[in-house]
Amino acid sequence: MARFLFIRLLQTLPVLWAVATLTFFMVRYAPGGPFTAEKSIPPEILKRLEAHYGLDQPLGVQYLRFLKNLVTGREPSIRHANRTVGEIIRESFPVSLELGSWALLIALGIGLPAGMLAAQKPNTLQDYVPMSAAMVGVGLPTFVLGPLVVLLFALKFGWFNTSGWNAPSDRVLPAFTLGCHLAAYVARLTRGGMLEVMGQDFIRTARAKGASGWRILTRHAWRGGLLPVVTFLGPAAAGLITGSFVIETVFNIPGLGKYFVGSVFDRDIPVVGGTVFFFAALILFFNLLVDIAQAWLNPKVRLE
Amino acid sequence: MKPIFLVATVGLGLALAGCKKSDSPAGSGSAQSAKKGDVKDAPSRIDGKMVLLRGNGAEPSDLDPQLVTGVPEHMILMGLFECLTGQDPKDLHPVPAAAERWEVSADQLTYTFYIRKNAQWSNGDAVTAHDFHRSYRRILEPTLAAQYAYMHHVVKGAQDYNEGKLKDFAQVGYKVVDDHTFQITLVGPTPYFLSLVNHTSWMPVHLPTVEKHGKAYERGSKWTRPENFVCNGPFTLAKWEVNQFISIVRNPKHWNAAAVKLDEIRFLPITDQATEERMFRDGKLHVTDTVPPTKIEVYQKNSPAYIRIDPYLANYFYRINVTKPPLNDKRVRQALALAIDREGIVKFVTKAGQIPAFNMTPPGTAGYTFRSSGSAGVAEAKKLLAAAGYPDGKGFPSVEILYNTQDTHRSVAEAIQQMWKQNLGIEVKLLNQEWKVYLDSQRQLNYQICRAGWTGDYVDPNTFLDMWLTGGGQNETGWGNKEYDRLITEAGRTADAAARLELFQKAEAILMDEMPILPIYFYTRSHLISPKVKGWHPTLLDLHPYEHLSLE
């Protein structure tokens, strides 16, 4: 196990380096720069601005400075002038982490039981109802569902605030919107995975021995049946807890998601680097967790 | 398959039915909002205090008045800092502020400001002429690289100092006569000077504070964080919750604190128009930053007391790259201009009461309205196009309109595409680009026709006309005209107001004959605003001095 972890951690280094390098050159070569504005800046001012942020240096030097910032997070943001990249992530990540965790709970809480139910009696009403709902959930983007739940539960019924991140109740609508969307995927994956396992020999054996349907589901089938969900959840969870641009915009939430999109629009190079790198590291970390979970769920998978 | 469809349809039906239900069991406080189109008013007191809640667009990049460039920052800073002159709440004419009075020399080149003796910084220090002197030095220091330093270039020696050509700041036209007397010497007579000194770039900063938290003449000082902040305006910075709100509260040290009615203003950064509109409807805002175009008619019909649309000192136009055929022929440009139905665009596309534009400078800008030669019609446009060698648009090469990715710009471009096809028989293509890519293409003249907008920096025709000087930084059309350059330069030296405006008339006539730009409309600014807000007058720059606002 220790050896496995060590090798996996070593493997992440080249991946992170590749992500960082690609990010740097893509944002550096994108047309327009951080100071491109509708009112063009006098050339001598522009020169000094670029000098201040080291953008007048040879590309190699800029690249090294960019890499260094990924480790220290001390580089100031260009768009948010009095804060550093590290501060931006420290301030906004807890918000996204909380929202993402609630959403994940909702997604699993709805998605897993729905998928299990459907798999238990495929091609019956018990399958069609949750799966049709899931199709609606998959097809309904969050930028539609978000405003819809606001109109209904905030403006019509007045149960919640339309947006914001102050009262505890402000978590409900965004977490629900984000969670519902994901629940749909979870439900479909659970159903698929479960159905596959239910058709296998060891399940038939269990049935032959007279085990009840419920017992088969909760004792034998779930381990194998949930493998696709677990695999999916790794990157999905990393995505959830680093914030969603759409949800944060619709509900005006001070999360990290805004920076992913905003920093690219602003060509705010240090923040683009910091957020992308952070996200990449999280994905790798969650994939590692997934591998460990898979080994635990499926005896056929060996960590070595 | 069938059952799935059935269930899905039933499910959807239920969801829709839920939306339509009109009077449902209510949660707390929903009685008012239950009826369609009803707006819940934001409370006028929060914990007994008069707090104005204002939607403010994007999250401010900083609160250093000498470094920021955006409108959201301006909206906050005008509560935090006070310039030498202030603005009248009704028409923004200059009124005494940090300076209680001023004198202008007969040649209009020297302004002497008498700073009031009771003006104080929020930390208790006196506001003196030295503060203004040091602040203006800071913004002009080349190392600070302040984007709006050019607003000071009307002052003698300022441009040279800013560009590093002049090393001795004593030679720049700022002079401390005594602690409370500050003198400014200009390059030429500048009739709009007293309005110019209201701009954020003319706000003083507390240099000792700036130096305490960083370097005075470099970026990156942490002095703009709430715990470090020192200012001299009617409000001080209380809280800055990033991406949530910025709260400014009444400054008890301000000389006019007794007259300020609001206890606090909260600026909420909300980038999404629809989100902002929902917050307003839910009583979470007194004033919004904008109104979604689709909601304008709804509010005008159902809740007219809650919407305001006022003229704004800005215009919407198309730049033309005059360096490439076929658009290097001015007859083609004139034909294109004539073939746009501007009334149709403002009435059916943009819908917010915009004013059709046939010239560059908004009418009534500091007493200046362009004398139009009367607009010819489509027939004339066809004639011009034929004269240029394209009768009925035959043989006209393919031309592209570039715009930055946004719904309104696309709709306007589509409308114009259709009008040119119908009226002139020419085909144009549309191309959209992401904001910075589009700005880059525009700068590099890598376009044929390109959507553009311009907001006046101050209320004077100069801000709309001096950008078209040959090779000017904002020109971006490749167009230049010697006579035009001469007229604008001469206007900058002319002290007589009427003669000066006449020079602008002549210059703009040249611009509108040469047509390197196609004016489309003059902007309006629309807000959703609670009727409880008092003292909010329509002003051309959409500025509303906060010391005059109150909540009923």
Side-chain angles (χ1 to χ4, degrees):
Chain A
M1 180 78 176
R3 196 181 121 83
F4 164 78
L5 282 180
F6 180 71
I7 292 173
R8 279 301 299 265
L9 284 177
L10 271 189
Q11 283 171 347
T12 60
L13 292 178
V15 175
L16 286 177
W17 172 78
V19 167
T21 307
L22 261 177
T23 309
F24 174 76
F25 285 101
M26 279 170 78
V27 67
R28 209 61 200 87
Y29 278 105
F35 309 111
T36 313
E38 188 148 36
K39 283 187 182 165
S40 62
I41 303 172
E44 62 281 351
I45 302 276
L46 182 65
K47 225 181 272 168
R48 290 199 205 93
L49 265 177
E50 292 186 328
H52 180 79
Y53 291 98
L55 299 174
D56 58 338
Q57 305 280 320
L59 208 60
V61 178
Q62 289 186 41
Y63 174 60
L64 288 181
R65 183 171 170 168
F66 177 84
L67 288 186
K68 189 179 154 210
N69 171 51
L70 298 184
V71 183
T72 64
R74 292 240 182 90
E75 197 74 41
S77 156
I78 300 173
R79 163 70 174 78
H80 302 273
N82 69 2
R83 281 149 62 246
T84 63
V85 176
E87 280 174 302
I88 285 178
I89 294 180
R90 266 199 302 281
E91 280 166 8
S92 52
F93 178 60
V95 174
S96 295
L97 177 67
E98 188 192 339
L99 174 58
S101 304
W102 287 122
L104 199 61
L105 272 180
I106 292 173
L108 293 178
I110 299 175
L112 285 180
M116 296 256 192
L117 272 178
Q120 214 181 14
K121 289 190 180 149
N123 303 322
T124 64
L125 203 62
Q126 190 179 331
D127 181 13
Y128 294 141
V129 173
M131 283 309 112
S132 315
M135 276 319 285
V136 174
V138 171
L140 205 63
T142 46
F143 63 83
V144 175
L145 185 61
L148 268 180
V149 296
V150 172
L151 284 180
L152 195 64
F153 297 109
L155 286 174
K156 180 149 286 228
F157 297 152
W159 295 344
F160 302 102
N161 290 322
T162 45
S163 56
W165 194 253
N166 306 305
S169 66
D170 287 345
R171 274 75 172 160
V172 176
L173 293 184
F176 175 77
T177 308
L178 203 51
C180 265
H181 190 63
L182 195 73
Y185 285 95
V186 171
R188 297 212 52 96
L189 283 169
T190 307
R191 175 182 180 271
M194 293 305 286
L195 277 182
E196 201 187 321
V197 173
M198 294 297 250
Q200 286 183 10
D201 291 343
F202 74 100
I203 300 290
R204 192 170 329 136
T205 312
R207 247 191 250 285
K209 282 161 71 178
S212 72
W214 185 243
R215 192 178 161 80
I216 288 172
L217 204 65
T218 55
R219 263 297 160 91
H220 305 281
W222 72 271
R223 279 197 160 203
L226 289 190
L227 276 175
V229 179
V230 170
T231 313
F232 167 76
L233 275 184
L240 268 187
I241 64 173
T242 46
S244 149
F245 175 74
V246 173
I247 294 288
E248 284 170 21
T249 306
V250 170
F251 292 96
N252 220 35
I253 294 168
L256 187 58
K258 276 181 182 162
Y259 291 101
F260 281 95
V261 179
S263 64
V264 175
F265 283 147
D266 296 327
R267 309 287 193 273
D268 190 347
I269 301 163
V271 179
V272 173
T275 48
V276 169
F277 190 73
F278 183 68
F279 184 45
L282 271 177
I283 287 204
L284 291 174
F285 174 69
F286 275 92
N287 272 338
L288 181 64
L289 288 187
V290 166
D291 286 346
I292 296 173
Q294 279 182 334
W296 175 66
L297 285 172
N298 185 356
K300 280 189 203 155
V301 177
R302 286 284 167 270
L303 285 181
E304 272 74 26
Chain B
M1 281 309 278
K2 261 187 185 161
I4 300 184
F5 267 114
L6 187 72
V7 172
T9 328
V10 169
L12 206 64
L14 283 174
L16 290 177
C19 292
K20 276 184 191 149
K21 230 189 282 172
S22 60
D23 43 3
S24 49
S28 56
S30 69
Q32 294 171 309
S33 62
K35 225 172 69 194
K36 198 182 161 195
D38 236 11
V39 180
K40 205 168 21 161
D41 251 325
S44 48
R45 301 287 182 282
I46 296 178
D47 298 331
K49 288 191 170 154
M50 200 190 277
V51 183
L52 180 75
L53 304 166
R54 165 154 206 198
N56 199 39
E59 166 75 16
S61 65
D62 197 354
L63 288 178
D64 186 328
Q66 306 196 316
L67 295 181
V68 301
T69 55
V71 173
E73 291 86 354
H74 195 150
M75 290 301 157
I76 301 169
L77 288 169
M78 58 182 279
L80 293 172
F81 290 91
E82 189 172 65
C83 299
L84 288 165
T85 66
Q87 293 163 315
D88 178 83
K90 288 193 176 131
D91 62 7
L92 302 183
H93 75 258
V95 296
E100 57 187 348
R101 64 195 173 86
W102 52 81
E103 285 159 8
V104 187
S105 67
D107 59 3
Q108 295 194 35
L109 291 182
T110 308
Y111 285 72
T112 310
F113 294 92
Y114 297 95
I115 294 160
R116 59 179 81 238
K117 303 237 159 54
N118 56 349
Q120 273 183 49
W121 292 95
S122 55
N123 67 353
D125 289 0
V127 175
T128 65
H130 300 282
D131 286 311
F132 285 94
H133 191 261
R134 275 179 289 189
S135 299
Y136 295 169
R137 174 172 182 173
R138 178 175 183 253
I139 192 169
L140 288 173
E141 279 296 336
T143 47
L144 191 72
Q147 275 134 286
Y148 266 115
Y150 73 83
M151 296 290 274
H152 285 253
H153 289 181
V154 294
V155 177
K156 198 186 99 207
Q159 184 163 5
D160 285 345
Y161 190 82
N162 188 218
E163 289 172 0
K165 289 177 200 150
L166 177 70
K167 299 287 174 202
D168 180 14
F169 192 72
Q171 290 184 39
V172 181
Y174 300 110
K175 191 172 153 204
V176 177
V177 179
D178 62 51
D179 278 2
H180 295 281
T181 313
F182 187 57
Q183 211 169 57
I184 303 178
T185 310
L186 306 181
V187 178
T190 312
Y192 53 91
F193 182 67
L194 287 170
S195 312
L196 194 68
V197 296
N198 281 320
H199 189 263
T200 48
S201 57
W202 287 83
M203 288 173 177
V205 296
H206 191 253
L207 255 293
T209 304
V210 179
E211 280 168 334
K212 199 169 144 196
H213 302 284
K215 290 183 187 147
Y217 300 145
E218 273 182 39
R219 289 166 175 257
S221 171
K222 307 265 183 208
W223 77 275
T224 52
R225 302 195 173 203
E227 63 273 21
N228 306 335
F229 205 78
V230 173
C231 59
N232 74 330
F235 295 84
T236 62
L237 182 62
K239 263 189 186 168
W240 184 349
E241 301 284 336
V242 176
N243 278 332
Q244 294 225 64
F245 68 91
I246 283 180
S247 152
I248 67 175
V249 298
R250 192 191 309 142
N251 177 7
K253 295 260 166 54
H254 187 254
W255 60 271
N256 201 16
V260 178
K261 295 175 201 98
L262 293 172
D263 292 299
E264 184 187 344
I265 307 173
R266 278 184 213 162
F267 297 90
L268 287 80
I270 309 161
T271 45
D272 185 58
Q273 296 180 339
T275 301
E276 190 182 40
E277 191 273 331
R278 287 194 294 267
M279 286 178 77
F280 181 80
R281 223 188 315 164
D282 192 32
K284 299 289 189 287
L285 293 173
H286 292 109
V287 185
T288 63
D289 186 46
T290 58
V291 185
T294 49
K295 288 280 180 186
I296 289 177
E297 271 175 291
V298 179
Y299 272 89
Q300 282 174 333
K301 209 170 136 219
N302 299 342
S303 340
Y306 290 86
I307 186 165
R308 293 236 197 137
I309 298 179
D310 300 316
Y312 188 52
L313 194 71
N315 61 9
Y316 189 106
F317 58 95
Y318 280 177
R319 278 193 168 88
I320 296 182
N321 181 353
V322 301
T323 62
K324 285 185 205 156
L327 299 171
N328 56 354
D329 187 331
K330 92 174 181 190
R331 289 168 300 189
V332 174
R333 302 198 294 266
Q334 289 168 337
L336 292 179
L338 288 173
I340 299 173
D341 173 13
R342 294 161 175 85
E343 296 282 350
I345 289 175
V346 300
K347 203 166 167 200
F348 301 112
V349 182
T350 58
K351 292 184 191 170
Q354 287 90 347
I355 303 153
F358 298 92
N359 68 305
M360 182 70 197
T361 314
T365 303
Y368 172 91
T369 300
F370 180 61
R371 285 193 300 265
S372 160
S373 50
S375 86
V378 173
E380 176 66 20
K382 281 185 161 163
K383 232 184 272 172
L384 282 163
L385 197 65
Y390 309 106
D392 294 325
K394 278 190 196 87
F396 195 78
S398 165
V399 167
E400 208 166 51
I401 300 178
L402 170 70
Y403 60 95
N404 57 301
T405 314
Q406 209 216 59
D407 284 347
T408 321
H409 302 330
R410 198 200 55 229
S411 312
V412 171
E414 281 171 351
I416 289 178
Q417 180 187 38
Q418 195 57 32
M419 290 167 190
W420 285 346
K421 191 178 173 178
Q422 262 173 14
N423 297 336
L424 301 176
I426 61 172
E427 292 282 346
V428 293
K429 289 189 201 132
L430 305 187
L431 173 70
N432 68 314
Q433 288 179 343
E434 181 262 353
W435 177 239
K436 295 233 171 183
V437 180
Y438 142 87
L439 289 175
D440 206 48
S441 306
Q442 192 171 211
R443 196 129 310 149
Q444 317 269 352
L445 289 190
N446 196 4
Y447 71 92
Q448 290 177 294
I449 300 172
C450 172
R451 176 263 142 189
W454 186 258
T455 308
D457 285 326
Y458 43 88
V459 188
D460 190 88
N462 194 55
T463 185
F464 287 93
L465 297 177
D466 77 343
M467 59 193 286
W468 305 111
L469 290 174
T470 309
Q474 318 291 350
N475 185 315
E476 299 177 344
T477 60
W479 180 79
N481 181 296
K482 287 219 178 77
E483 176 62 7
Y484 184 85
D485 295 356
R486 191 189 69 76
L487 289 165
I488 297 291
T489 317
E490 197 183 325
R493 285 195 298 254
T494 307
D496 179 55
R500 186 171 165 274
L501 293 187
E502 196 48 42
L503 288 166
F504 284 131
Q505 289 283 359
K506 282 185 190 155
E508 192 159 4
I510 294 176
L511 188 71
M512 285 305 105
D513 175 58
E514 289 273 320
M515 284 278 166
I517 52 161
L518 310 177
I520 298 171
Y521 59 77
F522 298 114
Y523 273 97
T524 51
R525 281 286 279 148
S526 40
H527 296 281
L528 297 175
I529 180 167
S530 158
K532 288 176 180 168
V533 178
K534 297 295 166 200
W536 183 286
H537 304 283
T539 64
L540 264 183
L541 292 172
D542 194 32
L543 299 176
H544 311 275
Y546 301 122
E547 54 270 43
H548 304 284
L549 293 186
S550 64
L551 292 169
E552 207 171 51

